[in-house]
Structure formats: structure tokens, C-alpha cells
Amino acid sequence: MEHRGWDDLRRDCLQCRRCGLAATRNNVAFGAGRQDAEVLFVGEGPGENEDLQGEPFVGRGGQLLDKMLAAVGLSREHNVYIANIVKCRPPKNRDPLPEEQEACIGWLREQYALLRPKIVVCLGRIAACRLIAPDFKVTRQHGQFFDKGGTLMMGTFHPAALLRTPAQKPEGFADFLALREKIGQVCEHTVLVYPDGGEGGTGG
């Protein structure tokens, strides 16, 4: 099957009416980051700020995510791509329903096909259960890597959960340190870039 390019995919996604979430959205949060990234982060769905701005992870949780990424040399500007299971905000930030996930997952599949990432990081239970295993337990299995068809997948805490339960932040950050180590092992082109302007090595 011939895949759409990024521009066509984004245009078609912004017009999507595949499920009821389209009726209540302000904007589609298509995705953000480098379109040649070897590392893909996947959350569950947009919240209020994401719905207003049309970009994933731009609220308080997104600010925490950006800080954790920066601490290990990663950012949406330089070397990762960030998307969600569903692209439209579920009302009152409820969990996206199974039928909503099913209606929307095709967009993520096409993003994945264009990126062909080496590593996928699932942020929170919804994404990890959808992409890694239906019975995935974040509190027990976070930070572990699973080989799914040649792509390494890891589940970790959702940034919003870390804001609600700050005691889990050290465990969450340990997962990002493990991710940085794994990038060094399997990613050939990812250059780590730190806020002070320094660069780490590439993978491989």
C-alpha cells in the first residue's frame, strides 16, 4: 500500500470525522517533532491545552515531559516525534473509549510507517496497553524494553500521573536514563542535544 506523505497525512487527519470526538474538538493534535526521528513517544490523547493549540503535550504534563527529555539530550525540536493514540480530546479528559481508539489508530499507524522508529515510548497505561500488551502494568513493567516486530517498545509513567504522584518522578526519570542508554545502542542517527548547547554522541 502506498503511504501518504507527511503533508497529505496531516491534511487528511485534520479533517477526520471517524468518531464522535470530532464533534467536540477545537483542534486535532496531529503530532509534533522531527519527521526523521528514530524515537517516537505516544500518549493517550489531547487534554484541554492540546485541544486549544492543536499540538500534543503542551500543558503542564507536556512541560514536565519536555524537562525530562531535555535532561537526557532529547527534544521535539531535535530528535524525537510525539503523538497520541487518539488525536482529538475526549470530553472532560476521560479515557478514550476502545471504539475511539480503534477509529483513530490508523493515523498513528501511518505516522509510524513514515517514521519507522527504532524505539517507541508509551506514555501511560492507555498507550502501553494498546501498543505493548493489553495487560501491561505501568507500575510493574515501566522501563522494560519489549521487541515488537523489530521495534523496541517501552512503557513509562504518563507525565500527568507524575504531576499527581510526585513520589514516582525518580522512577520515571530512571526510565528516561534507560532510554538514553538504549538509544546509544540501537539508534544510528540520533544526536543528543543538551540545553547548555552541548552534544552527546550518536547511537550505534
Side-chain angles (χ1 to χ4, degrees):
M1 173 181 142
E2 186 71 23
H3 290 290
R4 288 171 279 202
W6 281 106
D7 291 344
D8 289 342
L9 183 62
R10 183 184 186 91
R11 181 200 66 222
D12 293 346
C13 184
L14 295 187
Q15 299 170 359
C16 180
R17 315 288 302 180
R18 291 178 185 174
C19 80
L21 295 181
T24 55
R25 73 185 180 216
N26 286 297
N27 290 291
V28 174
F30 174 72
R34 295 279 306 201
Q35 295 176 356
D36 58 354
E38 295 179 292
V39 183
L40 168 64
F41 284 78
V42 180
E44 60 186 65
E48 181 180 13
N49 288 288
E50 292 76 15
D51 175 60
L52 291 172
Q53 297 185 42
E55 184 172 329
F57 289 95
V58 291
R60 287 182 63 229
Q63 292 165 18
L64 176 58
L65 175 62
D66 285 342
K67 286 179 183 175
M68 294 173 70
L69 289 171
V72 294
L74 300 174
S75 71
R76 59 185 88 194
E77 290 78 27
H78 290 111
N79 47 27
V80 305
Y81 194 86
I82 303 174
N84 279 311
I85 297 289
V86 299
K87 310 300 192 195
C88 298
R89 181 194 182 191
K92 299 181 180 177
N93 290 1
R94 63 161 170 74
D95 290 347
L97 302 173
E99 56 266 32
E100 292 163 351
Q101 296 181 43
E102 194 58 38
C104 201
I105 196 74
W107 299 115
L108 180 63
R109 287 195 182 111
E110 288 201 61
Q111 290 172 312
Y112 177 93
L114 288 169
L115 283 167
R116 300 180 67 186
K118 299 286 182 64
I119 300 174
V120 175
V121 179
C122 298
L123 297 166
R125 172 181 57 86
I126 298 286
C129 287
R130 180 77 204 200
L131 300 182
I132 300 176
D135 59 350
F136 191 93
K137 298 287 188 291
V138 174
T139 51
R140 282 211 312 267
Q141 296 172 283
H142 69 90
Q144 300 176 27
F145 287 91
F146 301 84
D147 190 324
K148 306 280 287 184
T151 302
L152 292 177
M153 295 197 177
M154 179 186 83
T156 189
F157 301 96
H158 194 285
L162 296 179
L163 289 174
R164 290 193 299 270
T165 315
Q168 292 178 326
K169 282 185 181 179
E171 289 181 271
F173 187 61
D175 294 347
F176 278 66
L177 294 174
L179 171 64
R180 179 172 64 183
E181 182 177 351
K182 190 64 71 174
I183 287 171
Q185 295 169 3
V186 305
C187 295
E188 299 172 12
H189 308 296
T190 301
V191 177
L192 303 178
V193 180
Y194 292 92
D196 61 5
E199 289 189 358
T202 57

